[in-house]
Amino acid sequence: MGTEELWSLKAPRIVVEPPGPKVREILEAAGLPPSAYRHPLAAEAGGIWIRDPDGNIFLDFISSRCVVNIGHRHPRVMEALRRQMDRVTHGWVEERHKLDRELARITPGRFEKRVYYALTGSAANDCALKLARWATGRPYVIAFAGAFHGMTYGALSLSSYKTWMIRGFGPNLPGVYHMPYPNCYRCPFGLEHPDCDLRCLHYIEDYAFKSYLPPDEVAAVFIEPIAGDAGWIVPPDGYLQGLKELCERYGILLVAEEVQTGFGRTGRWFACEHWGVEPDIIILGKALGGGVPLSAVVARAELHERDGEYFRHGHTFNAFPLGCAAALANIEVIEEEGLIERAERLGAYLMNRLRDMMERHCSIGDVRGKGLLIGVEIVGDKASKRPDVEAADRICAEAFKRGLYIIRMGSYGTGVLRVAPPLVITREQLDEALRILDESVGAVEI
Ligand SMILES: Cc1ncc(COP(=O)(O)O)c(C=O)c1O
């Protein structure tokens, strides 16, 4: 199938119940049971589609975990890669500096910035953690319960997605304190917004700072402006602004972890812009390279120097030429195709349709998000909000059988469907995805 044909497909195509014979053979050779087939094995991908070796074509409703915001193998990125491959694939190239300027331009904050590169979101988190401690000379760091920041030791220590991230690996990096994330559907304080007066925010100052955590020794607060794997939890208005003010009061750096929420996904370049907050450091990954591995830390330039010394950090494949070329093309595509506005517009439509589904289905307890990043929380009982992870898994399996690739996530024992299609999805394709999702939820509720 040609790339153009694949891009313009209107509905998934299931020619044999997955896993088909070719995938079964591959699974068997890899020592995996057929039941392991819950993610499409890609023989070819283009736009919102992934074709597996048996010819089944799946709609990638999660953008392969928020990586392909502009679609799989966008022609502009492919062209930029080819041009770069013909010239230089390793070494110091001008594109790196172009990308520095582009990232400084599109990230919030009109101050001088410095960019550090890595290849993964985890490594970028580690870099930001080192930078925050080094630049402030302070040892402690605040992160949030339920957060997923990655698998390297620094990122792991900032995380608290699930206990398997900690068990057997400890002790993790000392000095990281996890605060309750603002979660209005499952308020950690059992309160209702706005009567709660943002207790979750005041907890930091009123309890942590007055008992176990001296604020003048806190280097940074690491926060996902919309919690990711925890279940796409959107903080109430005022929380992020309040957190920024708190940081300013105590000279603490605010680090926006936008590995998952960046690059137009939420209807803004970066999610923190929804609340007009300018972080001191912003962490980027996933969609940055348009499908090519690249991550970055964009920080206030002044953090780079302390007492005549410079912050030391780097990797062998730092800012590698293919990644930089792809990231530059990615930014162009997002701007020229108006994908941020599109995410906002289609996101509003998607949100309405999903909220309508929530009215009709007893297993959908909550629908929340911004732009084309929406969490659909599956519950066993709406009144008690009892989570139902097993039902969430079964919905994903039903959807997969029908050619819709969706997965579940969620901290605190919850099962949340992760709705995050590529921003290039059309309204028609979105309708088809929703039809399948509706049918899959219905099939599990029977
Ligand atoms: C918010 C967030 N930060 C960091 C990471 C880690 O990125 P990587 O897997 O590229 O190391 C992830 C990965 O899912 C993530 O969702």
Side-chain angles (χ1 to χ4, degrees):
M1 179 176 271
T3 300
E4 267 180 43
E5 200 188 336
L6 192 56
W7 266 76
S8 58
L9 210 65
K10 292 192 172 58
R13 211 175 272 175
I14 295 299
V15 292
V16 52
E17 182 167 346
K22 289 189 179 147
V23 173
R24 277 176 187 268
E25 224 173 86
I26 295 166
L27 292 174
E28 200 182 327
L32 295 168
S35 59
Y37 200 48
R38 287 168 307 191
H39 311 269
L41 188 73
E44 186 187 4
I48 66 168
W49 304 106
I50 301 173
R51 183 176 62 74
D52 82 2
D54 292 297
N56 284 330
I57 303 178
F58 298 86
L59 193 160
D60 183 355
F61 213 32
I62 64 165
S63 301
S64 289
R65 294 188 160 78
C66 294
V67 170
V68 291
N69 284 7
I70 61 169
H72 287 272
R73 295 172 61 248
H74 192 287
R76 292 278 289 279
V77 172
M78 293 302 106
E79 179 52 31
L81 285 173
R82 273 190 288 270
R83 262 188 281 124
Q84 190 63 55
M85 268 189 301
D86 284 345
R87 295 189 301 116
V88 192
T89 57
H90 182 64
W92 182 28
V93 290
E94 187 192 354
E95 282 76 6
R96 180 236 163 100
H97 299 292
K98 281 193 185 153
L99 186 57
D100 286 352
R101 291 191 290 275
E102 284 296 85
L103 292 179
R105 177 177 69 81
I106 64 173
T107 47
R110 300 275 67 86
F111 38 79
E112 205 187 327
K113 295 168 184 161
R114 189 167 184 108
V115 186
Y116 307 92
Y117 294 96
L119 295 179
T120 64
S122 308
N125 270 276
D126 279 29
C127 168
L129 181 55
K130 279 174 63 186
L131 177 63
R133 280 182 164 168
W134 182 86
T136 59
R138 298 177 175 191
Y140 301 121
V141 165
I142 289 175
F144 288 85
F148 185 94
H149 293 285
M151 295 291 203
T152 52
Y153 254 110
L156 193 68
S157 308
L158 292 168
S159 302
S160 63
Y161 175 54
K162 297 210 171 148
T163 47
W164 57 252
M165 295 194 80
I166 320 288
R167 185 173 292 118
F169 303 122
N172 284 353
L173 212 62
V176 180
Y177 291 87
H178 291 94
M179 301 295 156
Y181 194 85
N183 181 349
C184 294
Y185 184 63
R186 296 184 182 279
C187 176
F189 298 95
L191 300 171
E192 291 275 337
H193 181 71
D195 296 343
C196 63
D197 191 28
L198 297 178
R199 171 83 61 87
C200 50
L201 174 66
H202 301 307
Y203 171 87
I204 301 174
E205 198 168 24
D206 295 346
Y207 291 85
F209 286 178
K210 290 190 175 134
S211 49
Y212 56 91
L213 187 54
D216 54 311
E217 294 199 338
V218 176
V221 173
F222 280 68
I223 187 161
E224 294 172 88
I226 296 175
D229 288 20
W232 280 337
I233 301 161
V234 183
D237 289 343
Y239 182 89
L240 222 62
Q241 296 95 320
L243 189 66
K244 171 76 179 166
E245 282 162 26
L246 178 85
C247 286
E248 280 173 353
R249 265 200 303 287
Y250 294 100
I252 298 169
L253 299 172
L254 182 69
V255 184
E257 215 278 33
E258 298 248 12
V259 168
Q260 192 147 240
T261 47
F263 292 93
R265 161 109 355 244
T266 70
R268 300 285 184 276
W269 268 116
F270 301 99
C272 58
E273 293 173 67
H274 286 284
W275 296 282
V277 166
E278 294 182 353
D280 302 292
I281 298 176
I282 182 160
I283 305 178
L284 312 175
K286 290 195 184 271
L288 163 61
V292 173
L294 190 71
S295 62
V297 172
V298 183
R300 280 185 185 276
E302 71 228 34
L303 300 178
H304 187 68
E305 192 181 345
R306 205 185 95 192
D307 306 329
E309 293 275 332
Y310 294 101
F311 175 61
R312 288 179 188 274
H313 191 80
H315 302 274
T316 305
F317 292 108
N318 236 15
F320 78 116
L322 294 175
C324 292
L328 285 167
N330 178 44
I331 293 170
E332 272 174 30
V333 169
I334 292 174
E335 286 188 324
E336 287 172 21
E337 296 187 10
L339 295 184
I340 299 176
E341 300 73 30
R342 188 187 176 87
E344 188 170 31
R345 198 177 60 249
L346 278 182
Y349 173 73
L350 180 60
M351 179 66 87
N352 282 339
R353 292 283 313 270
L354 289 169
R355 290 216 162 126
D356 171 60
M357 265 169 72
M358 178 166 73
E359 297 298 312
R360 288 183 289 104
H361 287 289
C362 59
S363 61
I364 300 182
D366 194 29
V367 173
R368 58 201 175 227
K370 292 233 181 246
L372 286 174
L373 176 145
I374 299 182
V376 175
E377 181 151 348
I378 302 302
V379 291
D381 171 53
K382 277 198 200 199
S384 68
K385 303 181 183 177
R386 176 169 50 79
D388 195 340
V389 175
E390 199 224 332
D393 277 342
R394 282 169 49 218
I395 293 168
C396 295
E398 288 291 336
F400 194 67
K401 269 200 314 211
R402 293 165 170 81
L404 183 71
Y405 175 38
I406 186 168
I407 59 171
R408 62 107 181 139
M409 56 188 180
S411 293
Y412 331 118
T414 61
V416 182
L417 305 180
R418 185 182 174 113
V419 177
L423 315 185
V424 291
I425 194 168
T426 65
R427 173 89 170 253
E428 200 178 7
Q429 293 164 332
L430 200 54
D431 283 340
E432 180 57 15
L434 286 164
R435 189 192 64 70
I436 298 174
L437 187 61
D438 203 347
E439 204 177 283
S440 307
V441 175
V444 169
E445 283 177 352
I446 288 169

